[in-house]
């Protein structure tokens, strides 16, 4: 395929060389004449393993060349891949000026082009950019998005230092567009790369890089906080973290990565608090560890406000314990929300098949009665009575008979969902999810 690459920095230079390796014909475009000259002389614009040989070889076989002339590149190709820089501005926002300026140039350049043109956005961009690029191009060219051209979001996941290897072995290839034709074109571009192509919404494609990189930063800073605590206790942090990452069922896994309600229970909050006091007692600053509980509390507050803002008086909690399959109510975040609603004069009813007051014992029972002294009056064991006595159902746990709830509630009652109870509710007017 004939492809132009806009921006010949780390991402653009690697893309230029590696797409040529896959047999495509490439024209690189940059405003920096020095970079353009380097490519035309068969030299890479960056220092990166393997890239020198790749650029030299593909320049010799005429699969790549570079120019400062945007119109020429657009005229001679069917696809443009945008790889220009998006650095932070002084306030921390992404500076999108290069993206908008290149969109204007491309818009001008496709004015006289008769063929359908695909613009893929490889740069990391703020949500809404795909749409904004389409608007700019429509304005500049007088052409119609989707009919005459399209914009495909296609985030890049390579890392400097291993960029060529990463280019050919991405975790996956993400594509998002309003145009199916554009997606198909981009699938062809990457057809010889052995990785799953995942089609997502434009919003997901635009946000994923920020989430990835924030999480990578979190991992480094978390490991270093643990390292500082370990050092103060004369414990080898490397040995400890090697053990930590070996647990691929709970630690390095999909577990706990589902947006939903706050954590709770008898172990997690207790041990987190204990670790924070250990670091405090040893004069170690660990802001990540100490902000976890704050973040969790903010989430509980958020759920409370969500329910309150529905302006209904009678609230039903479907589930009360901190997770499915247990009657442990200690530090259950739902219990905290129920307690606060009762304190504000709301009517609260609870249905939780796992809770049998006569079987509760010890600290668990004491905790429940301390928080909800009238639990006997508000806990209901018949689902239909429970549903008919409330105006909103707050789904806390999925439980075994969740489908019975779904059938009875869908279209009849307002629902606040803390667990993504079912996809069926998604288009239901009186439904709101906590994180979706
Ligand atoms: N560097 C990485 O490891 C990496 C990895 C994944 C994603 N990204 C993202 O990819 C994008 C590019 O990153 P980079 O590191 O390659 O940036 P870079 O600064 O190395 O390169 C950007 C290039 O774009 C050129 N440019 C700017 N305006 C232009 C215009 N109007 N026309 C043509 N060229 C223009 C610049 O001259 C420069 O050569 C960023 O959004 C970045 O966040 C970077």
């Amino acid at each position: 395929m004939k492809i132009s690459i806009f921006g010949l920095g780390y991402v653009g230079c690697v893309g230029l060389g590696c797409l040529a390796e896959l047999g495509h014909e490439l024209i690189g475009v940059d405003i920096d004449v020095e970079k353009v000259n380097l490519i035309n002389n068969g030299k890479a614009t960056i220092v990166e393993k393997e890239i020198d040989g790749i650029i030299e070889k593909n320049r010799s076989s005429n699969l790549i060349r570079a120019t400062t002339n945007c119109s020429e590149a657009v005229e001679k190709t069917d696809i443009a891949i945008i790889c220009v820089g998006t650095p932070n501005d002084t306030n921390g926002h992404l500076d999108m000026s290069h993206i908008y300026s290149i969109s204007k140039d491309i818009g001008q350049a496709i004015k006289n082009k008769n063929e359908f043109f695909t613009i893929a956005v490889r740069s990391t961009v703020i949500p809404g950019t795909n749409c904004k690029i389409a608007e700019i191009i429509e304005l500049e060219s007088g052409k119609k998005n989707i009919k005459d051209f399209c914009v495909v979001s296609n985030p890049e996941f390579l890392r400097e230092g291993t960029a060529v290897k990463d280019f050919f072995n991405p975790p996956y290839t993400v594509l998002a567009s309003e145009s199916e034709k554009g997606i198909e074109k981009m699938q062809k571009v990457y057809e010889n790369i052995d990785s799953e192509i995942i089609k997502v919404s434009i919003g997901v494609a635009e946000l994923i890089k920020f989430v990835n990189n924030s999480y990578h930063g979190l991992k480094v800073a978390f490991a270093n906080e643990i390292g500082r605590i370990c050092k103060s206790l004369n414990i080898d942090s490397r040995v400890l973290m090697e053990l930590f990452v070996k647990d691929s069922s709970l630690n390095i896994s999909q577990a706990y990565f589902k947006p939903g309600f706050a954590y709770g229970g008898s172990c997690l909050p207790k041990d987190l608090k204990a670790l924070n006091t250990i670091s405090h007692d040893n004069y170690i600053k660990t802001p990540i560890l100490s902000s976890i509980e704050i973040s969790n509390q903010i989430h509980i507050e958020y759920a409370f406000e969500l329910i309150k803002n529905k302006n209904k008086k009678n609230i039903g909690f479907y589930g009360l314990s901190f997770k499915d399959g247990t009657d442990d109510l200690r530090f259950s975040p739902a219990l905290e929300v129920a307690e606060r609603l009762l304190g504000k004069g709301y009517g609260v009813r609870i249905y939780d098949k796992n809770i049998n007051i006569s079987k509760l014992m010890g600290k668990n029972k004491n905790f429940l009665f301390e928080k909800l002294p009238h639990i006997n009056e508000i806990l209901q064991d018949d689902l239909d009575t429970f549903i008919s006595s409330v105006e909103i159902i707050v789904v806390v746990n999925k439980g075994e008979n969740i489908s019975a709830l779904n059938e009875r509630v869908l279209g009849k009652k307002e629902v606040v969902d803390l667990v993504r109870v079912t996809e069926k509710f998604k288009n239901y007017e009186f439904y709101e999810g906590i994180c979706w």
Side-chain angles (χ1 to χ4, degrees), residues 6-12 29-32 35 46 83-86 98 101-102 105 122-125 156-160 209:
F6 288 81
L8 295 172
Y10 286 90
V11 170
V29 185
D30 206 295
I31 43 174
D32 185 333
K35 288 187 183 177
I46 53 165
C83 305
V84 297
T86 50
H98 299 311
S101 135
I102 207 74
D105 293 348
R122 205 75 168 138
S123 299
T124 303
V125 293
E156 172 59 80
F157 300 111
L158 63 76
R159 296 160 299 169
E160 288 169 23
K209 274 294 296 202

Side-chain angles (χ1 to χ4, degrees), residues 15 24 31 39 43 64 73 107 136 165 186 227 254 286 296 300 323 329 340 367 402 413 421:
H24 300 298
I31 43 174
I39 296 293
K43 296 197 166 27
I64 60 178
I136 295 173
K165 185 165 159 268
M186 292 311 293
Q254 293 188 11
T286 48
N296 203 50
I300 294 171
K323 65 173 177 181
L329 292 156
R340 289 186 59 182
F367 188 84
I402 192 71
K413 292 275 164 177
V421 59

Side-chain angles (χ1 to χ4, degrees), residues 122-137:
R122 205 75 168 138
S123 299
T124 303
V125 293
I126 53 171
T129 302
N130 182 306
C131 183
K132 176 109 189 190
I133 292 175
E135 273 171 26
I136 295 173
I137 295 179

Side-chain angles (χ1 to χ4, degrees), residues 32 54 167 175 269 285-286 362 400:
D32 185 333
I54 290 176
F167 185 93
L175 297 176
K285 285 186 188 150
T286 48
E400 277 167 21

Side-chain angles (χ1 to χ4, degrees), residues 3-60:
I3 303 168
S4 42
I5 298 248
F6 288 81
L8 295 172
Y10 286 90
V11 170
C13 181
V14 170
L16 190 81
C18 294
L19 287 172
E21 286 287 282
L22 295 175
H24 300 298
E25 244 177 86
L26 278 300
I27 303 178
V29 185
D30 206 295
I31 43 174
D32 185 333
V33 179
E34 211 178 318
K35 288 187 183 177
V36 167
N37 289 340
L38 277 169
I39 296 293
N40 286 334
N41 289 321
K43 296 197 166 27
T45 60
I46 53 165
V47 174
E48 186 62 52
K49 225 180 289 162
E50 300 176 66
I51 196 68
D52 291 338
I54 290 176
I55 295 289
E56 192 184 355
K57 184 182 106 190
N58 288 292
R59 176 68 190 128
S60 306

Side-chain angles (χ1 to χ4, degrees), residues 114-126:
N114 294 322
E115 302 80 24
F116 186 84
F117 197 64
T118 301
I119 299 111
V121 187
R122 205 75 168 138
S123 299
T124 303
V125 293
I126 53 171

